[in-house]
Amino acid sequence: MANQAPTLPLLTPYKLGKFDLSHRVVLAPLTRQRSYGYVPQPHAILYYSQRASKGGLLITEATGVSDTAQGYPDTPGIWTKEQVEAWKPIVNAVHAKGGVFFCQIWHVGRVSNTGFQPDGQAPISSTDKSLTPEKGSNGIDVMQFTPPRRLRTDEIPQIVNDFRLAARNAMEAGFDGVEIHGAHGYLIDQFLKDQVNDRTDQYGGSLEKRCRFALDIVEAVVNEIGADKVGIRLSPFADYMESGDSNPMELGLYLVNSLNKYGILYCHMIEPRMKTLGEKIECPHSLVPMRKAFNGTFIAAGGFDRKDGNNAVVEGRADLIAFGRWFLANPDLPKRFELNAPLNKYIRDTFYVSDPVLGYTDYPFLDSTA
């Protein structure tokens, strides 16, 4: 039909390695704190399948790689057989709708306390510098952090191995790939950023040494499951959890150039305007130099809406755009973008409650009468 409206840039197909995506709207990884006892629950089957579409990429909430990786209540893991088995029906439901599903694997490092750690031990980090207490995700409770224990050089290969095993377990659970969480002030970021990393061994000091831990993990995961199934999330400009860097542009460029050697599938980066959680600032910096330097698929996230996402694709600032809060509140977000339909407002108060329905699977679809 000659008079058909042109396809929105966000809704054009894209070849992500061996995956044929039908659109460029990605479900960003979103912590939801509804995995009781660190085990994914049946209600997650509905949550993820609601947001799945044929040829749509979904990234799971951050998923712990080991029993030392946790720092929040009821976040899922993928280090035990029970957890792997619990992920399987969730993955199957997304695949049944034609979705592509990546598992985001993380370790929180010092963003934890003894209550989350095995045998009440101290959290581990690149450093022994403590975090100042801060308001929790609900804005009421104060998150208390135990002073971390600095990892010994000889312990670091074990943590790298935990990421490798988590990637293997993700394959066992049926995921299409993994995203290594190297952003937002968690363990990998605690090594990357010079405002945190105060080591004097081969994992601290120079830019190259601070990036070694992240690249060791990338190498181990690539060797385990294949570069075509590996992505990484990075936030060089962000200062979450007291993890800022004095030269974020240099850090970001060094990382993407190093990642090119491994041929990984994608790099997922947080926009510089998102310096702290959920707060958009005017910012002179841009991800474009990193985007140009990286050879694989580039995913951008952080404060995007329909218009800004379309512009980013048209201008070549990113191949794919990850949406968090808007996708959380609009399970049919790609459809709503297509029709330019109004969006459900997200309800921040229920982002992290443990209710299996409220603020989780009860956001209405366009065609529902709810």
Side-chain angles (χ1 to χ4, degrees):
M1 283 166 49
N3 61 352
Q4 203 168 357
T7 308
L8 277 184
L10 276 172
L11 300 179
T12 53
Y14 180 77
K15 185 99 173 122
L16 175 66
K18 62 184 180 184
F19 306 107
D20 292 312
L21 301 187
S22 63
H23 60 78
R24 298 165 188 248
V25 180
V26 178
L27 174 67
L30 296 165
T31 291
R32 304 307 313 271
Q33 293 181 212
R34 288 162 170 86
S35 299
Y36 314 137
Y38 306 144
V39 178
Q41 298 295 305
H43 45 254
I45 299 171
L46 180 58
Y47 170 74
Y48 283 109
S49 66
Q50 280 180 334
R51 285 155 187 78
S53 56
K54 184 170 170 37
L57 174 62
L58 278 63
I59 306 166
T60 69
E61 60 210 281
T63 300
V65 299
S66 70
D67 61 357
T68 67
Q70 305 296 86
Y72 298 85
D74 297 331
T75 50
I78 196 158
W79 72 87
T80 70
K81 184 77 180 146
E82 181 188 11
Q83 290 163 336
V84 172
E85 291 304 315
W87 275 115
K88 286 181 179 176
I90 304 169
V91 176
N92 289 342
V94 168
H95 285 158
K97 290 186 74 173
V100 177
F101 206 11
F102 273 52
C103 182
Q104 192 196 57
I105 53 178
W106 77 334
H107 193 301
V108 299
R110 67 175 183 168
V111 186
S112 188
N113 62 48
T114 52
F116 292 107
Q117 295 298 317
D119 308 320
Q121 65 195 38
I124 54 177
S125 182
S126 63
T127 182
D128 54 15
K129 290 186 292 193
S130 196
L131 278 171
T132 43
E134 63 168 57
K135 273 195 176 160
S137 42
N138 61 9
I140 304 158
D141 302 325
V142 173
M143 288 177 73
Q144 296 288 351
F145 305 110
T146 307
R149 180 176 71 78
R150 183 194 306 273
L151 281 164
R152 297 189 316 272
T153 310
D154 65 320
E155 293 178 291
I156 289 176
Q158 179 56 52
I159 311 299
V160 172
N161 195 52
D162 288 339
F163 275 87
R164 179 184 69 81
L165 292 173
R168 178 198 281 182
N169 287 345
M171 294 294 101
E172 163 70 18
F175 284 104
D176 297 299
V178 300
E179 175 174 291
I180 298 162
H181 194 344
H184 293 162
Y186 298 113
L187 183 61
I188 293 174
D189 215 21
Q190 290 158 34
F191 276 82
L192 294 174
K193 302 287 183 65
D194 62 9
Q195 287 175 23
V196 188
N197 187 336
D198 54 1
R199 301 178 73 89
T200 54
D201 63 359
Q202 65 259 44
Y203 288 96
S206 69
L207 179 61
E208 292 77 9
K209 288 179 175 178
R210 282 184 281 118
C211 292
R212 177 169 288 170
F213 179 60
L215 297 172
D216 281 358
I217 289 171
V218 169
E219 182 171 16
V221 170
V222 163
N223 288 342
E224 182 64 38
I225 67 170
D228 60 336
K229 302 178 195 70
V230 179
I232 190 167
R233 196 178 215 208
L234 299 167
S235 58
F237 291 92
D239 187 9
Y240 292 32
M241 298 296 174
E242 298 164 42
S243 295
D245 194 81
S246 62
N247 194 337
M249 183 64 83
E250 184 187 34
L251 174 63
L253 281 170
Y254 178 79
L255 279 166
V256 293
N257 283 310
S258 302
L259 290 168
N260 283 337
K261 297 171 192 151
Y262 300 99
I264 63 170
L265 182 63
Y266 72 76
C267 178
H268 181 180
M269 241 182 222
I270 309 298
E271 286 286 336
R273 62 190 175 196
M274 305 302 284
K275 197 163 172 69
T276 57
L277 195 62
E279 183 191 12
K280 206 160 147 181
I281 56 163
E282 285 301 314
C283 173
H285 299 293
S286 154
L287 296 180
V288 169
M290 274 80 85
R291 189 278 197 280
K292 285 184 172 160
F294 184 64
N295 293 339
T297 292
F298 198 83
I299 307 178
F304 283 97
D305 56 20
R306 180 180 185 268
K307 181 180 173 201
D308 192 23
N310 280 320
N311 289 342
V313 172
V314 169
E315 293 160 13
R317 288 187 276 131
D319 300 302
L320 309 173
I321 305 293
F323 293 88
R325 290 160 290 183
W326 291 119
F327 218 149
L328 179 158
N330 295 274
D332 49 0
L333 188 65
K335 185 82 179 158
R336 288 178 190 252
F337 281 168
E338 181 187 350
L339 301 173
N340 202 11
L343 301 182
N344 299 325
K345 289 186 169 57
Y346 50 84
I347 303 160
R348 193 177 292 280
D349 290 349
T350 56
F351 281 0
Y352 306 107
V353 298
S354 63
D355 192 289
V357 177
L358 181 71
Y360 190 56
T361 55
D362 61 350
Y363 283 102
F365 288 76
L366 263 179
D367 55 5
S368 73
T369 51

